[in-house]
Amino acid sequence: MIQSAVRNIDHPDQPPVPRSRIVIASMVGTSIEFFDFYIYATAAVLVFPKLFFPSGDDTAALLSSFATFGLAFVARPIGSVLFGHFGDRIGRKATLVGSLLTMGIATFIIGLLPTFDQVGYLAPALLALMRFCQGLGLGGEWSGAALLATETAEKGKRAWAAMWPQLGAPIGFFFANGLFLLLIYTLDFDAKTSPADHAFLTWGWRIPFLASAIIVIVGLYVRLKLTETPVFAKAVQEGKKVKAPLAEVVRSSWRQLIAGTFIMVATYTLFYIVTTWIVSYGTGKVSDASGEKLSFSYSDFLELQILAVLFFAVFVMVSGRMADRFGRRAFLLVVTALIIVFGLCFKWILDPSTMNNGVMLLFLILGMTLMGLTFGPMSAILPELFPTNVRYTGSGISYNVSSIIGAAVAPFIATWIVADFGVGWVGVYLAVAACTTFTALLSVRETKTVDLTQI
C-alpha cells in the first residue's frame, strides 16, 4: 500500500505531504525520460535522416542522426554533476523542478524545429543542441527522483518506495511505442514505401514531442507543491552540507562511485539489447554471421514489445517487495546470475532458422522480466551507497557514467558482434557485462538497514 502522508520536519506545523503526490512527483521524471528516449530513437531512424540532414547519402544521414542521439549520453554525466551540485547544496525539490524543465522544454522544442530544407545546416545544429539539453536534464533527473522516494520512505519499505520512479520506465516505454504505433496505423505510414511528403513525415512525427508537454506540466504542478525531504532538511539543520559535493564525493566515496557504476552496467546493457539492438536484428536490417536475417515488420515488432513491456512493469513492482524482504545485495546477486544464464541462451532462442512471433515474444518477455527485477532496486541501492551530503551527486554520477559503459555502446557492439560472429556471442557479451555487475555487488555490503541520515 502507498503511505498516506509524509510530514515535513522543517515545518511541523504544515500538513503532511500526501504519499500519492510524492509517488507521482518521483515517477513523472523517469516516465518522461523513457518516453523521450523512445520517441527520439524512433524518430532517429524513421524521420531525422530524411528531414534534418542533406539528402543523397542515406547511410551518412542515418549515422549523423545516431550521432545526435548519442549526444545525450555525453551530456548526462555533465548533468549529474551540475544538478547534483545544486541538489546537495540547495535541496532536492528545487533541483527536481530545474531538471524537469530543462528536459521537458528541450523535448517540446524538438517538435517545433524547422527541417534541413527550410533552414539548411541550422536544422541539425538545433537538433543536436536540444538533444544535448535533454541529456543535461536527464542527468539530474533520476537521482533526484530516487532521493525523493527513498528519503521520504517508511522504515523497512524503502525499496518499495524507491520502486515508483523505476516504474516510470515501462510507463514511458509503453506510451512512446503505443503513440508511434497509433500514428503509423492512423496515417498509414510505411518506412520503406511512403513518399517524402507523407503526413507522418510532414507533421505526424511532431505529435509525440509536443505531447510530452502534458506530462511535464503535470509533473511541474506536483513538484512545486512538494516540501524538502526530511533527510535533507535534517542535514541542513545540523550544518552538514558541503560546499563542493563533487570534490567531496570523489575524496570520500570513490569506492562507492566505482561500485555503483558497475552495479548498474548489467541493467543498462540488458535494456539496450532487448529494446534497441533487437529491433534492428528482428526487423532484418542486420544479418547474422551465417547470412540469415529475421524479417519482422516494424509495426509487428512494436506490438510484441508493447506486450512484453507489461512484464517489465509488473516485475519492477515485484522487485520492490523482494528487495525489502531479502535485501538489495542478495536479491540482485540472484537476478544478475539469471541475466548471465539468459545471455548464454541467445544462441538457441534467437536462432533465425527457428524464429517466429511466439519465440520472439518469449525472448522479449524473458528480457523485460529480468529488466524489471534488476532495474527496480537500483533507485534504492545506489542512493544508499552514499551519505546524505553527497548522495544526489554520487548516485547521479554512478547512474549516468554507467549509461555510457552499458548503454551508449551496447547497440553498436551487439550489431558488430552479430554480423561477424553470430547472435550467440551477443548473449556472451551480455553475460560478461553481468559478470562485472556480479563482482561489483560482491564488493559492497548490504544497504537495506543503512540509516540515510548518516553522514
Side-chain angles (χ1 to χ4, degrees):
M1 295 294 292
I2 298 176
Q3 277 179 261
S4 60
V6 175
R7 186 164 294 281
N8 179 14
I9 65 170
D10 219 8
H11 301 283
D13 54 317
Q14 292 183 358
V17 178
R19 169 58 59 180
S20 59
R21 186 179 299 166
I22 293 175
V23 166
I24 294 172
S26 63
M27 191 165 53
V28 70
T30 45
S31 298
I32 295 173
E33 173 185 352
F34 282 83
F35 181 84
D36 159 68
F37 167 78
Y38 271 97
I39 60 175
Y40 198 100
T42 301
V45 175
L46 298 180
V47 178
F48 295 155
K50 299 176 181 179
L51 299 184
F52 283 84
F53 299 95
S55 59
D57 189 337
D58 292 342
T59 301
L62 181 61
L63 290 174
S64 298
S65 180
F66 277 137
T68 64
F69 176 74
L71 273 176
F73 292 108
V74 177
R76 283 175 67 156
I78 300 172
S80 68
V81 172
L82 175 65
F83 286 102
H85 175 84
F86 292 109
D88 286 325
R89 287 287 299 150
I90 66 175
R92 315 322 193 193
K93 174 187 172 180
T95 308
L96 274 169
V97 170
S99 65
L100 180 66
L101 284 175
T102 302
M103 181 170 55
I105 292 173
T107 303
F108 183 80
I109 289 176
I110 289 175
L112 300 174
L113 289 179
T115 63
F116 186 87
D117 287 342
Q118 294 171 322
V119 296
Y121 284 98
L122 181 60
L126 290 173
L127 182 65
L129 176 62
M130 290 302 102
R131 184 60 178 165
F132 188 84
C133 290
Q134 281 182 324
L136 283 179
L138 288 171
E141 172 59 39
W142 177 85
S143 50
L147 266 57
L148 175 63
T150 56
E151 292 184 346
T152 57
E154 184 182 356
K155 185 177 180 180
K157 297 183 179 180
R158 202 157 57 211
W160 174 254
M163 171 275 299
W164 292 106
Q166 306 302 81
L167 192 59
I171 290 174
F173 186 111
F174 181 85
F175 281 104
N177 278 3
L179 184 52
F180 262 112
L181 190 62
L182 178 64
L183 286 169
I184 288 171
Y185 281 142
T186 302
L187 299 177
D188 193 24
F189 175 72
D190 188 307
K192 297 178 181 179
T193 61
S194 294
D197 61 350
H198 190 277
F200 180 83
L201 294 175
T202 304
W203 54 267
W205 70 270
R206 298 180 184 272
I207 292 176
F209 290 92
L210 299 178
S212 68
I214 299 172
I215 312 175
V216 173
I217 291 170
V218 172
L220 186 62
Y221 173 79
V222 174
R223 286 184 175 181
L224 286 174
K225 289 183 172 292
L226 292 175
T227 56
E228 193 52 75
T229 70
V231 172
F232 183 81
K234 182 178 180 181
V236 172
Q237 290 175 354
E238 296 176 356
K240 293 180 178 179
K241 291 193 300 182
V242 293
K243 292 183 178 180
L246 176 61
E248 177 63 23
V249 76
V250 172
R251 183 190 67 81
S252 65
S253 303
W254 62 270
R255 290 181 182 86
Q256 292 94 318
L257 280 175
I258 295 173
T261 297
F262 284 96
I263 284 173
M264 188 73 195
V265 163
T267 304
Y268 267 128
T269 307
L270 172 66
F271 183 73
Y272 279 68
I273 283 177
V274 301
T275 60
T276 305
W277 165 77
I278 194 61
V279 174
S280 63
Y281 182 68
T283 56
K285 295 177 183 177
V286 179
S287 298
D288 189 86
S290 64
E292 296 184 86
K293 61 181 181 179
L294 306 185
S295 57
F296 291 92
S297 70
Y298 188 79
S299 57
D300 286 346
F301 205 89
L302 278 183
E303 290 175 358
L304 296 177
Q305 282 195 315
I306 289 174
L307 288 174
V309 80
L310 299 176
F311 288 81
F312 184 7
V314 169
F315 282 94
V316 164
M317 293 188 284
V318 169
S319 72
R321 295 296 191 195
M322 301 291 279
D324 274 331
R325 181 174 180 181
F326 299 107
R328 292 74 160 116
R329 182 175 179 268
F331 176 69
L332 285 170
L333 281 170
V334 172
V335 175
T336 305
L338 292 175
I339 293 173
I340 294 172
V341 174
F342 176 61
L344 297 178
C345 293
F346 272 34
K347 180 179 180 180
W348 296 279
I349 302 177
L350 294 177
D351 184 352
S353 64
T354 59
M355 180 56 63
N356 55 47
N357 281 18
V359 174
M360 179 56 73
L361 181 60
L362 173 63
F363 171 81
L364 293 174
I365 287 174
L366 288 173
M368 288 297 188
T369 296
L370 289 170
M371 181 60 195
L373 292 173
T374 185
F375 188 61
M378 288 299 161
S379 56
I381 190 172
L382 293 187
E384 289 168 351
L385 291 174
F386 299 93
T388 303
N389 55 354
V390 294
R391 185 170 294 132
Y392 204 124
T393 302
S395 60
I397 290 175
S398 293
Y399 183 84
N400 289 293
V401 171
S402 183
S403 75
I404 297 177
I405 301 172
V409 299
F412 297 96
I413 292 176
T415 299
W416 165 67
I417 289 175
V418 75
D420 287 359
F421 302 102
V423 71
W425 287 96
V426 177
V428 173
Y429 163 57
L430 172 60
V432 170
C435 284
T436 66
T437 290
F438 196 89
T439 303
L441 286 166
L442 290 175
S443 72
V444 300
R445 298 177 180 178
E446 176 56 55
T447 60
K448 176 182 176 181
T449 58
V450 166
D451 180 4
L452 290 188
T453 64
Q454 185 66 37
I455 303 298

